[in-house]
Amino acid sequence: MDDRLCRRSVIEGYKADQGLVPALEDGPRREAVLKARMRLHGAGVQEARFLADLGLHMQSSRAGTKSGVLRKGQIFLPFPDPVTDKIKHRWQLTYDKKRDGVRFADNLMRGVERFMDEMLDAFEEHLPERYKS
C-alpha cells in the first residue's frame, strides 16, 4: 500500500517518483495525505514490510511447532522484537521484548483504517474550487 503512495521508478533512467503523493498538487490536500502517511508508518507498516518476505515467501519467523498459546482466555502469539531492516533469515530475530503478534496485527490494522479515513477526509475537505458546485 505504501508503494502506491510513493515509490521510486522501476524504469531505468526515469528519476521521477511515482504514486499518489507525487501526483498530488502542492497544497493542503497533499499535506494532509503526507501527514496521514507518516502516522501510518508509526503504526508499524515499515516493520511489517521488513518482515513480509520472511513470513510470506521464505520461512516462518520461528522454527518448530506452532507457537501460539492461550493465556487468560486470550491467544498470545510470540512476535519478534522491533526490526529496523529487512530480515533475510529467522536467526536475525530476537524475542526478548515479549511482544504479541495478535496485538501487533490489531494495531497495524487500526493504523491502516485510520490512514484510509484520513486520506478520504483529505480529499473531501480539500476539494479544488473547480469541482465544487
Side-chain angles (χ1 to χ4, degrees):
M1 181 174 75
D2 194 46
D3 283 350
R4 299 301 184 252
L5 293 171
C6 188
R7 67 182 171 96
R8 298 272 178 220
S9 173
V10 294
I11 300 169
E12 191 164 329
Y14 189 74
K15 298 197 186 298
D17 287 344
Q18 298 174 337
L20 175 65
V21 173
L24 290 173
E25 181 178 15
D26 286 339
R29 182 190 316 157
R30 185 174 197 270
E31 292 304 315
V33 170
L34 285 171
K35 285 179 186 175
R37 182 178 181 227
M38 290 301 292
R39 280 190 285 280
L40 179 64
H41 280 223
V45 165
Q46 191 64 34
E47 187 174 358
R49 175 183 280 168
F50 292 148
L51 290 166
D53 286 339
L54 176 74
L56 294 176
H57 304 294
M58 189 169 54
Q59 57 194 314
S60 65
S61 61
R62 284 199 128 165
T65 61
K66 304 282 186 227
S67 55
V69 295
L70 194 61
R71 289 187 183 161
K72 299 179 185 176
Q74 298 283 322
I75 294 174
F76 177 82
L77 180 64
F79 195 74
D81 295 338
V83 295
T84 56
D85 203 358
K86 284 188 176 185
I87 301 298
K88 296 181 178 162
H89 198 281
R90 66 175 164 242
W91 295 335
Q92 294 173 264
L93 302 172
T94 59
Y95 291 83
D96 299 327
K97 302 217 185 278
K98 308 286 186 226
R99 294 201 313 164
D100 178 15
V102 174
R103 212 174 256 138
F104 179 85
D106 286 346
N107 186 51
L108 181 60
M109 288 312 300
R110 276 192 300 276
V112 169
E113 289 172 7
R114 184 177 55 241
F115 167 76
M116 295 303 295
D117 288 341
E118 290 175 356
M119 190 172 68
L120 291 171
D121 289 345
F123 276 82
E124 289 175 356
E125 293 171 11
H126 304 291
L127 191 64
E129 288 298 321
R130 67 183 178 269
Y131 294 116
K132 293 180 183 176
S133 53

